[in-house]
Amino acid sequence: MTIKASGGSSLARPQLYQTVPLSNISQAEQQDRYLETGELTALKTFYDSGLKRLAIAQAIKQSAQLIVSRAANRIFAGGSPLAYLDQPETDDDGSDLGVTLAVGDASGTQGGILGGVKSLFLGSGGGKIPAGFRPISVSRYGPRNMTKSLRDMAWFLRYTTYAIVAGDPSILVVNTRGLKEVIEKACSIPATLVALQEMKAASLDLFRGDREAQETVVQYFDVLITEMQTQGPNDKLRQRPKIDAQGLQLPQSYFNAAEKRQKFVMKPGLSALEKNSVVKAAYRQIFERDITRAYSQSISYLESQVKNNDISMKEFVRRLAKSPLYRKQFFEPFINSRALELAFRHILGRGPSSREEVQQYFAIVSNGGLPALVDALVDSQEYADYFGEETVPYIRGLGQEAQECRNWGMQQDLFKYSAPFRKVPQFITTFASYNQPLPDQHVYGSGNDALEIQFGAIFPKATRNPSTSPAPFSKDTRRILIHRGPGINNQLSNPRARATQPGTLGAKVFRLNNELPAGKTTNVSFSESATQKVIDAAYRQVFGRMVYAGQRQKVAEIKLENGEITLREFIRALAKSDVFRNTYWSSLYVTKAVEYIHRRLLGRPTYGRKEINSYFDLCAKKGFYALVDAIIDSKEYEEAFGEDTVPYERYLTPGGYSLRQTRPGAIREDVGARVQVEKTERFIELGTSSTKNLPVTDVEARLKQGVNVQRQQTKAFKLTDTFNKVELKTAIAAAYRQVFERDIEPYIVEAQFTALESKLGNREINMKEFIEGLGCSELYQKEFYTPYPNTKVIEMGTKHFLGRAPLDQQEIRKYNQILAAQGLKAFVSAMVNSMEYLDNFGEDTVPFRRFPTLPAANFPNTERLYNQLTKQNRDIVVPSFEPAVKR
C-alpha cells in the first residue's frame, strides 16, 4: 500500500563535501571535548596556506579554457575541440578576483598563459596511457557529444579547485565515482583518464618554479584520477529479516558524504585514555550527555568492570540502561510509549520501525517494566548484527544507512538533542493514523472545523491542534455520506430515488400545497398558517436560523403567498439576498463558502475535490450569483425537491452524525417523543450523600485505589550490618538526603551528628532512632521549623519522616495540636513512632518517597510536594483553610 501521508519532517539535504575546519570541529563535538593540539595545528596550517590555495584556484580559473583545450586535443582527433568551448567567464567589472600568483616569469620560463598556448599543440608527459585508449574521432563523435565532453572536463577541473579551496578532497571522493556510469555510456573511462592526466600536466605548467603549488596540484589531481580508476560504488543496503520491514538501500554517495563520525569499540589492548574515551562515548549514547562532566556522576563499579574486560560493552550498555539514573531521566517522567521510543534511540540507534514493532515492545514494557524492555533490545538479533559485543551503539541516521519513509519525520525529531523534552509519543500515533480508514479530513489537516466542512479548510489561527498526517485525499476521492432515510435510497446505487421522500426515518419535509379549491383565485392566503410554516422552514434551512424582522425578504414572501413565484424561486431569492451573501460568502474564502452554500441549498456536503473544483471554477469566472443559480437549477435539485419542497438535509458525514449523537443533552430525532427529565430540587441534592451508604469494604477499596506494591520504583536503603562501613556510610548519607533534602558534609555541620553516627555504628541505637535524632537536631529546627508556619512544618515533616504529603485536614489538625502544645521534638516523635512508620519502614530502613503506592486521592499532593524546592517555595500544598477571595 502506498502511503501518501507526510511524516512531518523537512527535506534532508546531505552535505556532499567536507572542509578541514568542519571535519576537525565535528570530530571534537562528537567526543564532547576541546580541540586537541593536532587538530589546532591542522587548522593553523589550513589558515596559513589559505592565500596560497586561493591563488592556485584563481590561476587555474584564468587558464581553465586552455587546460581543457589541451586535454581535449589529447583525446580527440580529426578536428579542433576549440570551436566547442564556451566563452570564458569574468567578474562583473571584467577583472579577476584580485588574487595574484607568480605563475612563471615571462622572461625566463615557459609558464603562464603563453606557455599554455604553446603547449596546446605539443605532446605531453601527462602520465602512463591506460590500456584500451583510442583517440576519438570528432567527426563521428558529433558536435553535441563534443560539447558535453568538454563540459564534463571543465566540471572535473572546477571541482578540483573546490577541493583545493576547501583543503579537503572529500568533494572529489564523493562526486567523482557517481559519474563513472555516465562516462562509460557517453565516452570511455580510458579516454577520461588520459584527459585528467593531461589537465594535471597543464596545471603543473602554470606553476613552474613554485614547488609548494605544484605539490598541492599533484595531491588533488591524484585523488581525482585514483577515484576515477576505482570501481563504481554499490548502494549501501539495509536488509532486515522481518516480513513487514522492506530491504532499503542508500546511495553510496550519501554514505561517503555523511559526517565522519567515529565508532567506539572496547578492545583489550587499548590504553587507559582510549578506554576512558570509549566509556564516555557509551555515556553520551545512553544518557545523551557525558554524565561525568554534566552531573559529576559516574557508575564507577561498572566502568572498572568494562575496562578490565570483566564484562563486555554489550553488558555495560545493558546495565547502564537499567541503572537508577537512566530510570529517573528516561523512564519515570514518561508514559510507556515515549519511554519505548527513547530506549530504541539509546540502545538500537534508531526509532521504532512499524506499528507491529511498537505493539510487540509495548507489551514487553507493560508486563516487565524497564528491565524487560532493555533485555529485549540488547538481546535482539539486530543489536548483535550492528554492534556485537564490543561496539558502542551509535545513531543510525541518514548517511549511516537507508531510512524508511513511514517513520522519517519522527526519526529526525528523535535524533535531536531536545528529544527527551518532548513528552508526547510520536511513532505510535503516526503509525496508527496510517492504518485507519479514510475519515472526513482535508488535505491540510483535520478536526479543525466544528461543522466538519473540511475540504480545503485553511485557518490562520488554529482553535484545535490539527492532525500532522492528514488522510490522503485526491480529486477522485469521495466522502463517506450517511443517508437520512431508508438505507437503500442512496445516490450511488439508485440515482432515481432522489425524489423519494425520507418518511418517518428521515428529516421532516415541508411542502407548499398549491392546489386551490373550486371557485378560488390564485391567491393562497386562505392557508396562511400552513404557508407561514413553510416560509419559516425555508428561513431555517437557508440561513440556519430564524432571521430578525428587518432581515426578512418581505417582497419575496408576498409573491410566494400570492402565487406569483414558486417555492423554488423563493429559495433562490433568499440565497441571493444581502443577508445570505454577507453571512456565507463575503466573510469566507471561496472553498468554504461553497461548502456552506451547497449544504444549505442541496441538503448534502460536496462529494469530494472534483466537485469542489467545478464550483470553484464557476465562482472564479462568474461569481456568487452564478453559483446559486447553478445549484438551484441543477438536475439534482429538481429531482430531489422540485418546485414545492423546502430543501432538507438528505446526507451528512459520519463525523457530523457522531458529534450530534454524543454532545451533552442531545436527543435523537427518531425517538418519536420528547423525553421528560425530572429535575431534583437543589436542597435535596445537597443533603444527599454522594456515596449512597456504601459498605465499609467498598469504602476501604476506594480509599486504596491505585495502590500496588509492584509499582514501587524507589530504591530503599536498609541497614542490616552496621559493622560494614560502606553500608553504614551509604545508609547515613541516604538518611541525610531524606531528612535534610541534601547531602550533609562534615565541614558544614562540624561535629553536630558525630555522636549519633557513633551510636548507630556501635548498635546503641537503630535507624529509626537515628532518624528521630536528626529530626530533633538544631539544624533541622533551624532549617525546617523556625522560618515556617505550623502547616508548612507539618507538610515537610510528613514528607521527611513518612514519605508523603498530609492525607487530609484532620491529620493536619492532629499534628498542629502536638506542635502548639508540646513542640518540635514531640511532633517528630509522634510521626517516627507511629504505626504507619513501623509498617512501611520498620526500625532499619531509611524513609523514602512512597508516591507509587499511595492512594490515588493523595497522589497529586505528594507529587507537588516532592517536585518543589522547599527553600524557594513557601506555598502550602494542603492548606488548612480556604483562601479568601479578594473583591
Side-chain angles (χ1 to χ4, degrees):
M1 174 183 177
T2 301
I3 297 176
K4 303 179 184 177
S6 169
S9 172
S10 57
L11 182 64
R13 300 182 182 275
Q15 184 169 310
L16 300 181
Y17 64 92
Q18 293 281 330
T19 63
V20 173
L22 179 62
S23 58
N24 283 276
I25 292 174
S26 63
Q27 188 76 5
E29 183 272 336
Q30 181 196 4
Q31 300 180 15
D32 197 16
R33 57 172 173 79
Y34 292 101
L35 292 172
E36 295 178 348
T37 305
E39 294 167 336
L40 292 174
T41 303
L43 288 175
K44 183 178 184 301
T45 304
F46 172 76
Y47 290 122
D48 288 345
S49 63
L51 290 178
K52 172 66 72 175
R53 288 182 285 101
L54 289 176
I56 294 172
Q58 177 67 16
I60 293 177
K61 173 198 170 185
Q62 290 178 341
S63 303
Q65 300 289 339
L66 297 175
I67 296 173
V68 173
S69 299
R70 178 171 165 177
N73 277 334
R74 185 77 174 85
I75 64 175
F76 292 106
S80 175
L82 290 174
Y84 302 97
L85 284 175
D86 295 332
Q87 294 298 322
E89 298 179 0
T90 58
D91 297 329
D92 295 338
D93 57 356
S95 62
D96 58 13
L97 296 179
V99 182
T100 60
L101 176 70
V103 294
D105 189 353
S107 61
T109 67
Q110 296 298 322
I113 299 178
L114 294 178
V117 174
K118 291 179 181 181
S119 65
L120 279 176
F121 304 101
L122 300 177
S124 173
K128 182 180 179 181
I129 297 178
F133 168 68
R134 296 290 184 273
I136 302 173
S137 174
V138 173
S139 59
R140 291 186 177 183
Y141 201 53
R144 181 178 180 184
N145 292 333
M146 174 64 70
T147 303
K148 290 182 179 180
S149 296
L150 294 177
R151 178 202 63 195
D152 292 341
M153 285 190 283
W155 183 95
F156 284 119
L157 186 63
R158 186 172 69 253
Y159 267 71
T160 304
T161 61
Y162 293 165
I164 292 174
V165 172
D168 192 298
S170 62
I171 192 170
L172 298 175
V173 175
V174 170
N175 293 278
T176 303
R177 293 187 184 181
L179 287 178
K180 290 197 64 176
E181 183 179 353
V182 178
I183 292 176
E184 287 175 345
K185 293 180 178 179
C187 184
S188 70
I189 297 298
T192 305
L193 290 174
V194 171
L196 293 178
Q197 292 173 357
E198 195 65 29
M199 284 194 291
K200 172 185 173 182
S203 300
L204 288 175
D205 288 342
L206 296 176
F207 306 105
R208 293 177 182 175
D210 191 341
R211 186 176 182 83
E212 182 182 355
Q214 286 188 334
E215 290 177 352
T216 303
V217 171
V218 168
Q219 174 188 353
Y220 290 96
F221 266 103
D222 285 347
V223 172
L224 179 62
I225 294 173
T226 302
E227 291 299 325
M228 183 56 64
Q229 292 174 334
T230 307
Q231 184 64 31
N234 296 321
D235 289 343
K236 188 174 180 63
L237 298 179
R238 177 184 178 182
Q239 298 290 349
R240 290 173 295 166
K242 295 183 180 179
I243 299 177
D244 69 308
Q246 70 274 29
L248 304 174
Q249 59 185 21
L250 178 75
Q252 189 71 22
S253 59
Y254 276 35
F255 180 74
N256 294 337
E259 194 173 312
K260 299 176 181 176
R261 302 190 69 85
Q262 180 180 359
K263 295 182 177 63
F264 295 89
V265 182
M266 180 64 75
K267 296 287 186 181
L270 298 180
S271 65
L273 184 60
E274 291 171 332
K275 288 184 177 180
N276 284 334
S277 299
V278 176
V279 169
K280 288 185 177 182
Y283 284 150
R284 289 192 298 270
Q285 173 63 23
I286 302 301
F287 297 103
E288 301 190 26
R289 59 189 62 81
D290 186 354
I291 60 173
T292 58
R293 183 170 297 173
Y295 299 111
S296 299
Q297 295 174 334
S298 64
I299 306 178
S300 56
Y301 67 95
L302 288 180
E303 285 188 19
S304 61
Q305 286 181 324
V306 73
K307 290 177 183 177
N308 296 332
N309 298 317
D310 294 334
I311 61 174
S312 64
M313 177 53 66
K314 180 178 181 179
E315 291 303 313
F316 183 63
V317 169
R318 184 198 306 272
R319 298 183 188 186
L320 287 184
K322 289 183 179 181
S323 64
L325 182 59
Y326 185 89
R327 175 184 291 275
K328 180 180 179 182
Q329 292 188 4
F330 300 106
F331 187 74
E332 291 180 356
F334 304 96
I335 62 175
N336 286 352
S337 301
R338 187 59 178 171
L340 182 150
E341 296 170 4
L342 294 175
F344 264 82
R345 179 202 192 279
H346 299 150
I347 298 176
L348 293 182
R350 64 171 178 86
S353 177
S354 63
R355 185 184 185 189
E356 292 75 17
E357 190 173 46
V358 172
Q359 291 173 336
Q360 174 189 354
Y361 285 96
F362 187 86
I364 293 174
V365 71
S366 299
N367 296 330
L370 177 62
L373 174 64
V374 173
D375 287 338
L377 294 175
V378 174
D379 294 335
S380 64
Q381 183 63 39
E382 181 178 358
Y383 187 97
D385 292 341
Y386 277 89
F387 313 120
E389 295 288 337
E390 299 176 333
T391 304
V392 177
Y394 52 84
I395 297 299
R396 293 152 54 192
L398 183 64
Q400 295 291 341
E401 64 181 23
Q403 302 295 303
E404 296 172 308
C405 176
R406 55 185 170 186
N407 68 345
W408 174 272
M410 301 80 68
Q411 182 127 313
Q412 304 310 311
D413 287 341
L414 190 66
F415 290 162
K416 294 178 181 178
Y417 186 79
S418 59
F421 297 96
R422 181 191 290 270
K423 301 293 185 181
V424 179
Q426 297 174 267
F427 290 82
I428 189 171
T429 53
T430 304
F431 291 152
S433 66
Y434 288 159
N435 290 276
Q436 289 178 351
L438 298 181
D440 289 327
Q441 296 178 351
H442 57 80
V443 293
Y444 306 107
S446 63
N448 204 0
D449 195 329
L451 296 178
E452 76 268 4
I453 297 176
Q454 296 172 339
F455 281 115
I458 308 172
F459 297 84
K461 187 177 294 184
T463 55
R464 304 183 201 167
N465 292 326
S467 172
T468 57
S469 55
F473 263 95
S474 65
K475 64 181 181 63
D476 299 323
T477 305
R478 296 177 68 96
R479 269 179 169 161
I480 300 174
L481 301 182
I482 299 175
H483 186 224
R484 298 194 64 196
I488 195 173
N489 293 332
N490 62 81
Q491 291 189 339
L492 294 180
S493 63
N494 187 14
R496 297 181 181 179
R498 287 175 178 169
T500 304
Q501 299 302 321
T504 58
L505 298 178
K508 185 176 181 180
V509 178
F510 291 87
R511 178 179 297 172
L512 184 62
N513 185 7
N514 285 331
E515 296 181 3
L516 302 180
K520 291 290 185 179
T521 61
T522 57
N523 191 314
V524 293
S525 296
F526 69 93
S527 56
E528 182 70 32
S529 60
T531 305
Q532 196 60 47
K533 286 183 180 179
V534 172
I535 292 175
D536 291 344
Y539 276 113
R540 284 193 298 269
Q541 172 62 28
V542 175
F543 292 96
R545 58 179 174 84
M546 287 303 298
V547 297
Y548 299 110
Q551 297 176 332
R552 296 178 72 97
Q553 305 300 308
K554 295 294 185 181
V555 175
E557 290 183 19
I558 293 173
K559 289 183 178 180
L560 177 64
E561 292 175 351
N562 293 334
E564 299 176 14
I565 59 175
T566 61
L567 184 58
R568 184 177 183 178
E569 294 302 318
F570 179 69
I571 297 295
R572 189 195 307 270
L574 296 184
K576 290 186 176 181
S577 65
D578 292 338
V579 180
F580 186 86
R581 180 186 177 94
N582 294 334
T583 304
Y584 295 114
W585 177 264
S586 303
S587 59
L588 305 174
Y589 53 90
V590 176
T591 308
K592 197 167 185 68
V594 168
E595 280 284 351
Y596 271 115
I597 296 173
H598 199 271
R599 280 199 161 203
R600 294 299 176 195
L601 302 184
L602 266 186
R604 66 166 175 87
T606 52
Y607 283 138
R609 305 290 293 183
K610 186 175 182 179
E611 190 173 27
I612 280 284
N613 290 342
S614 63
Y615 286 125
F616 192 97
D617 183 65
L618 179 65
C619 293
K621 293 178 179 178
K622 298 183 180 180
F624 165 71
Y625 297 106
L627 172 66
V628 174
D629 288 336
I631 293 176
I632 296 181
D633 293 337
S634 64
K635 185 70 173 177
E636 180 179 353
Y637 186 98
E638 180 180 352
E639 294 178 354
F641 311 118
E643 299 288 339
D644 58 353
T645 303
V646 177
Y648 54 88
E649 188 175 47
R650 300 176 296 139
Y651 293 88
L652 71 162
T653 62
Y657 181 78
S658 176
L659 286 174
R660 300 179 193 187
Q661 300 302 318
T662 58
R663 65 184 180 215
I667 300 177
R668 295 180 55 185
E669 295 181 4
D670 56 356
V671 172
R674 186 175 299 275
V675 179
Q676 299 295 330
V677 180
E678 297 183 1
K679 183 177 179 182
T680 307
E681 297 294 338
R682 182 62 177 163
F683 72 93
I684 299 179
E685 292 180 359
L686 294 176
T688 304
S689 173
S690 59
T691 59
K692 297 183 180 179
N693 299 324
L694 292 175
V696 177
T697 55
D698 195 2
V699 174
E700 292 177 353
R702 286 171 178 261
L703 289 176
K704 293 181 179 181
Q705 58 180 327
V707 178
N708 187 353
V709 179
Q710 295 179 356
R711 291 179 56 208
Q712 185 167 337
Q713 301 173 358
T714 305
K715 183 174 181 180
F717 294 89
K718 189 173 183 179
L719 184 61
T720 57
D721 185 7
T722 56
F723 295 112
N724 187 340
K725 299 302 180 183
V726 176
E727 183 179 348
L728 177 64
K729 185 177 179 181
T730 303
I732 291 175
Y736 286 149
R737 288 194 299 271
Q738 174 64 23
V739 176
F740 296 103
E741 300 187 16
R742 68 182 187 277
D743 288 322
I744 302 297
E745 302 296 341
Y747 61 84
I748 296 178
V749 297
E750 298 177 351
Q752 189 173 152
F753 300 127
T754 304
L756 279 175
E757 292 183 8
S758 300
K759 290 181 180 179
L760 182 62
N762 296 331
R763 295 189 175 181
E764 297 178 16
I765 59 176
N766 54 31
M767 179 56 71
K768 181 174 75 71
E769 294 170 333
F770 181 74
I771 294 293
E772 184 177 358
L774 295 182
C776 298
S777 63
E778 294 181 3
L779 181 61
Y780 189 86
Q781 181 176 354
K782 176 183 176 181
E783 296 286 341
F784 300 104
Y785 178 71
T786 306
Y788 302 104
N790 283 359
T791 307
K792 189 66 176 177
V793 172
I794 294 169
E795 287 187 349
M796 292 186 293
T798 56
K799 172 184 177 182
H800 298 155
F801 303 110
L802 296 179
R804 60 168 174 82
L807 290 176
D808 48 28
Q809 300 301 328
Q810 182 179 359
E811 187 178 42
I812 292 178
R813 286 194 295 269
K814 166 190 169 183
Y815 286 121
N816 199 5
Q817 292 175 358
I818 298 176
L819 267 178
Q822 305 177 45
L824 177 64
K825 292 185 178 181
F827 166 70
V828 174
S829 178
M831 283 192 293
V832 174
N833 294 312
S834 64
M835 287 303 299
E836 180 182 359
Y837 186 97
L838 293 176
D839 290 342
N840 288 282
F841 311 121
E843 295 186 346
D844 53 0
T845 302
V846 178
F848 54 85
R849 180 181 179 183
R850 295 162 45 216
F851 74 91
T853 58
L854 285 175
N858 197 41
F859 179 86
N861 293 334
T862 304
E863 188 77 358
R864 286 182 55 197
L865 191 61
Y866 270 88
N867 289 337
Q868 69 181 13
L869 299 175
T870 304
K871 290 186 174 297
Q872 284 77 11
N873 192 339
R874 293 174 176 264
D875 294 341
I876 298 175
V877 176
V878 187
S880 56
F881 55 88
E882 293 293 333
V885 180
K886 296 182 179 180
R887 298 185 181 275

